[in-house]
Amino acid sequence: MSYPRASVPGVNRTDRLYAMVEELRAVAPRPRSASWLAGRFEVSVRTVERDISALQQSGTPIYAETGRTGGYCLDRAHTLPPVNLTPDEAVAMALALRSMEGTPFRHPAASALRKLLAAMRPEDVAEARDLAGRIQLTGDTPSAELPRLAGGALPVGCVLRIGYADRHGTVTSRDIEPLGYVGARGHWYLIAWCRLRESVRVFRPDRIATVTPTRETVRPRTLAEVQLDLPHRLRPLTLT
């Protein structure tokens, strides 16, 4: 059997153990031989055998199949893939929870979100909390569609070029730095630093005619930094 083209050299043992489980999970219930795994991770067969033994002792359901085409297998019936929410996904779930206010399932849903956050990487949780703080809401989450931007749910630190129409329908080209969203009165609005006006502006989604990402990146501004005058009844989204 030939070795895979892409190997995983130079990783520490913890990362290698994690990657080895994911490799076995990806092909389960088919086996991977010790020599194949050795080539994949650029270690010796003896190191692979020690790693497999350590995983088995930790409770990972790996077993050996004998024979010419045998090797190590992962029992997929007794394991689940890791939960790895992105910051955008975590914030999307927090927004969905807002629609459950007043229902019997609000607290169980919040508990589920906390468990998912606990499984995320600390840096992703920090990014999710920063994104959530950029979403200002009234008591109810608007059902209207968010503005469609390029580069993620809220490409903070990026410069976008938009075509924006005034109340008379005249479209002007503006370079903006997205800062956050406001959900109020049944609608979503985009908060951004407008380079044309040299100040923060709140843009109506229905007036954004075009969105084009530029190659320019900038230091992300905070809502506090731009001194946005928000009504007191608006509150930032939380992840709890």
Side-chain angles (χ1 to χ4, degrees):
M1 182 182 294
S2 61
Y3 293 146
R5 295 181 181 179
S7 58
V8 185
V11 299
N12 61 44
R13 187 169 188 245
T14 299
D15 290 342
R16 186 174 69 247
L17 291 175
Y18 175 83
M20 195 173 292
V21 171
E22 290 309 297
E23 179 62 48
L24 293 175
R25 190 197 313 280
V27 298
R30 291 180 289 122
R32 287 295 195 203
S33 68
S35 60
W36 192 98
L37 292 169
R40 172 79 169 95
F41 296 101
E42 293 192 357
V43 295
S44 67
V45 169
R46 180 165 301 204
T47 296
V48 168
E49 291 172 345
R50 284 199 297 262
D51 287 350
I52 293 294
S53 177
L55 288 168
Q56 290 172 329
Q57 292 175 30
S58 71
T60 306
I62 297 175
Y63 60 93
E65 279 192 357
T66 59
R68 186 176 62 85
T69 61
Y72 295 107
C73 301
L74 182 70
D75 186 355
R76 297 187 71 175
H78 293 83
T79 183
L80 292 173
V83 176
N84 188 23
L85 291 182
T86 66
D88 284 358
E89 289 170 340
V91 171
M93 294 188 67
L95 273 172
L97 282 181
R98 293 293 295 263
S99 65
M100 303 182 71
E101 291 287 354
T103 74
F105 301 100
R106 174 64 177 90
H107 294 297
S111 175
L113 178 58
R114 286 193 294 270
K115 291 176 182 178
L116 291 171
L117 290 172
M120 292 173 61
R121 298 184 305 172
E123 56 269 33
D124 286 342
V125 174
E127 186 176 341
R129 294 194 188 282
D130 176 71
L131 175 58
R134 293 176 178 275
I135 300 174
Q136 303 287 326
L137 298 169
T138 56
D140 298 324
T141 302
S143 59
E145 187 175 348
L146 278 166
R148 293 188 178 182
L149 303 180
L154 183 64
V156 177
C158 299
V159 178
L160 304 180
R161 183 160 298 142
I162 67 171
Y164 193 69
D166 62 19
R167 60 182 179 178
H168 302 296
T170 303
V171 177
T172 57
S173 177
R174 307 187 185 204
D175 286 358
I176 63 169
E177 302 170 24
L179 304 176
Y181 290 118
V182 168
R185 296 188 300 277
H187 298 283
W188 284 104
Y189 302 90
L190 171 65
I191 310 170
W193 181 267
C194 178
R195 292 185 169 182
L196 179 65
R197 305 303 183 195
E198 295 186 347
S199 64
V200 66
R201 286 288 190 270
V202 178
F203 294 94
R204 285 177 41 172
D206 58 330
R207 291 185 178 178
I208 300 177
T210 59
V211 180
T212 305
T214 72
R215 295 179 179 272
E216 183 180 358
T217 58
V218 293
R219 180 187 65 82
R221 305 172 191 256
T222 65
L223 294 180
E225 181 183 347
V226 298
Q227 298 180 340
L228 181 64
D229 185 18
L230 293 173
H232 293 301
R233 59 191 179 90
L234 288 176
R235 295 290 185 270
L237 176 70
T238 62
L239 298 182
T240 55

